[in-house]
C-alpha cells in the first residue's frame, strides 16, 4: 500500500450540497477500490491560474489516501468522466 494525494477542482456552479455529494462519491469510489482515506480537506473556492471552460475559479479539494497502485488507473478513468470535476491530479507521496 502506497500513499497518494488526489487534488481535484470542482466546477464553481455546483452548489454546496452537490459539492458534498461529489466529495462523498469520490471517497466512496476510492474505498470501493481498496483505498484507506486518511483525510479530506476542502480548500474552498479559489481563483484559477488560467480559465477552464470559461470559468475563472473553482472549488479545490485535497484527499490523502493509501492504496494499491494497480487500481489507480481505474479510479482516474472514472473521475475523468465526472462532469463536475474540472481537473484532477494524483501524486504519490514518499
Amino acid at each position: 500500500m502506497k500513499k497518494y494525494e488526489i487534488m481535484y477542482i470542482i466546477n464553481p456552479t455546483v452548489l454546496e450540497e452537490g459539492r458534498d455529494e461529489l466529495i462523498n462519491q469520490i471517497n466512496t469510489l476510492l474505498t470501493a477500490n481498496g483505498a484507506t482515506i486518511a483525510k479530506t480537506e476542502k480548500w474552498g473556492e479559489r481563483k484559477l491560474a488560467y480559465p477552464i471552460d470559461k470559468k475563472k475559479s473553482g472549488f479545490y479539494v485535497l484527499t490523502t489516501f493509501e492504496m494499491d497502485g494497480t487500481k489507480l488507473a481505474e479510479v482516474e478513468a472514472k473521475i475523468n468522466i465526472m462532469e463536475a470535476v474540472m481537473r484532477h491530479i494524483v501524486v504519490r507521496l514518499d
Side-chain angles (χ1 to χ4, degrees):
M1 299 278 274
K2 295 183 178 163
K3 291 187 179 189
Y4 294 94
E5 279 184 343
I6 180 170
M7 174 170 277
Y8 50 97
I9 306 171
I10 300 173
N11 193 322
T13 59
V14 177
L15 299 176
E16 189 172 344
E17 304 86 39
R19 277 190 229 131
D20 291 338
E21 185 179 321
L22 182 66
I23 292 167
N24 287 335
Q25 235 179 355
I26 291 175
N27 287 348
T28 303
L29 175 65
L30 288 168
T31 54
N33 283 285
T36 305
I37 296 175
K39 64 181 175 179
T40 298
E41 298 176 36
K42 297 178 189 175
W43 285 11
E45 194 161 330
R46 296 175 178 224
K47 187 175 183 252
L48 300 172
Y50 56 89
I52 301 173
D53 297 330
K54 299 181 182 174
K55 307 278 189 298
K56 295 185 180 192
S57 67
F59 192 87
Y60 284 70
V61 180
L62 177 72
T63 301
T64 307
F65 61 97
E66 285 187 26
M67 179 181 197
D68 183 24
T70 58
K71 302 256 185 173
L72 201 54
E74 183 180 330
V75 171
E76 284 193 271
K78 290 183 179 173
I79 292 174
N80 272 335
I81 61 173
M82 293 181 175
E83 290 183 22
V85 177
M86 295 167 51
R87 292 283 190 274
H88 78 279
I89 188 168
V90 178
V91 179
R92 192 175 114 209
L93 300 175
D94 289 332

